Amino acid sequence: MLDYLASLNPVLLALFAGIFTWGCTALGAALVFFFKNLNQRMANVMLGFAAGVMLAASFWSLLSPAIEMSSGMGRFSFIPALVGFILGGVFLRLVDRLIPHLHLGFPEQEKEGPKTKLRKSILLVLSITIHNIPEGAAVGVAFGAIASGNTELFVTACVLALGIGIQNFPEGAAVSIPLRGEGLSRAKSFWYGQLSAVVEPIFAVIGALLVVFVTPILPYALAFAAGAMVFVVIEELIPESQVEGSTDLATAATMVGFAVMMVLDVALG
């Protein structure tokens, strides 16, 4: 079965993986039909767990393969990973400044980006949407890497998609349930919650296409996705997970998330 899947077009695989990660977000967002409120401590645990998964995925599934692919450069093998990593952070910083948004758990006066009159609920959704862009790109680049001829990367890409899907489930709930608390109906809360992850299959396809047609950029692309994900973790997920004094709990959840993704990647990859 795995051999058959690995033989499919990498772009198609990236699309399937992006739909899977989006679907996990939708499943999590569906919890709004069963719960009206989300305990802040639980929200912090969910976000902390997501941060840990993304941090581990950034290294084990993206940066490490990027460095390994550049091993032929000798002592300068770190350059593609370094350049891509920095550019990934710069890209997310630009997106952060161009799109108005509000981080979960923060007061409306702390919204970021251009001045806007958009409702708080829309700003919250935009914040998670920005966060999901590098996740989709990471999945796409990972599957696009199969086109380089290294089919071993197929398992690594699958593990990455699985890890992102796992952390997307609680993340979907962490978006939709607070929207319900903002006064939106259950249906609208679910709609906006899952909508925040629609960018994942889109950017998965974009990422896969880039590395399929321009194979030499693969290590740079992997590191780019890693840099973008780390930027999101530090700038968004960690601060959001530690509001209202849940620092220790959120930190523990981050450690657990990192450990889970590390085990998945090392044991399965």
Side-chain angles (χ1 to χ4, degrees):
M1 182 64 176
L2 285 178
D3 289 338
Y4 168 72
L5 290 174
S7 68
L8 295 178
N9 186 291
V11 179
L12 184 61
L13 289 172
L15 175 61
F16 289 157
I19 291 173
F20 166 74
T21 58
W22 162 77
C24 291
T25 302
L27 283 175
L31 292 180
V32 75
F33 293 109
F34 305 96
F35 303 97
K36 183 177 181 179
N37 298 304
L38 183 63
N39 179 277
Q40 186 61 55
R41 288 166 64 86
M42 182 56 66
N44 291 345
V45 167
M46 291 177 173
L47 293 168
F49 180 83
V53 169
M54 288 182 69
L55 280 176
S58 296
F59 177 75
W60 298 105
S61 299
L62 298 169
L63 274 179
S64 181
I67 294 172
E68 186 176 340
M69 289 176 188
S70 307
S71 58
M73 297 177 66
R75 68 174 64 183
F76 299 106
S77 60
F78 65 89
I79 290 180
L82 174 64
V83 172
F85 185 81
I86 297 299
L87 288 178
V90 170
F91 170 75
L92 252 292
R93 175 55 180 158
L94 291 174
V95 172
D96 212 37
R97 296 197 62 170
L98 293 174
I99 300 178
H101 59 283
L102 176 66
H103 296 306
L104 293 172
F106 284 73
E108 194 167 357
Q109 58 267 30
E110 292 191 27
K111 59 188 177 184
E112 300 179 9
K115 292 184 178 180
T116 180
K117 295 183 179 179
L118 291 173
R119 293 173 56 187
K120 182 179 179 181
S121 58
I122 301 300
L123 293 173
L124 291 171
V125 172
L126 286 174
S127 176
I128 301 301
T129 301
I130 292 172
H131 161 173
N132 285 328
I133 289 174
E135 291 181 8
V139 168
V141 169
F143 278 98
I146 302 170
S148 67
N150 188 346
T151 54
E152 293 180 3
L153 292 173
F154 173 72
V155 176
T156 299
C158 288
V159 172
L160 175 62
L162 177 61
I164 289 178
I166 289 172
Q167 64 97 19
N168 274 1
F169 180 81
E171 193 174 88
V175 178
S176 64
I177 296 177
L179 290 178
R180 173 67 174 154
E182 291 292 324
L184 274 68
S185 67
R186 294 183 190 276
K188 281 190 175 182
S189 298
F190 167 75
W191 172 253
Y192 285 126
Q194 63 81 31
L195 192 64
S196 67
V198 166
V199 294
E200 292 201 9
I202 295 172
F203 277 86
V205 170
I206 292 173
L209 284 171
L210 281 175
V211 297
V212 165
F213 289 106
V214 195
T215 305
I217 71 166
L218 180 53
Y220 294 91
L222 288 168
F224 179 92
M229 287 175 63
V230 169
F231 181 93
V232 166
V233 169
I234 297 173
E235 198 267 345
E236 181 177 336
L237 288 181
I238 289 179
E240 288 175 3
S241 71
Q242 301 196 3
V243 298
E244 297 189 9
S246 298
T247 301
D248 291 340
L249 191 62
T251 301
T254 302
M255 297 290 289
V256 170
F258 187 98
V260 167
M261 186 61 203
M262 178 177 66
V263 169
L264 283 174
D265 207 302
V266 175
L268 300 180

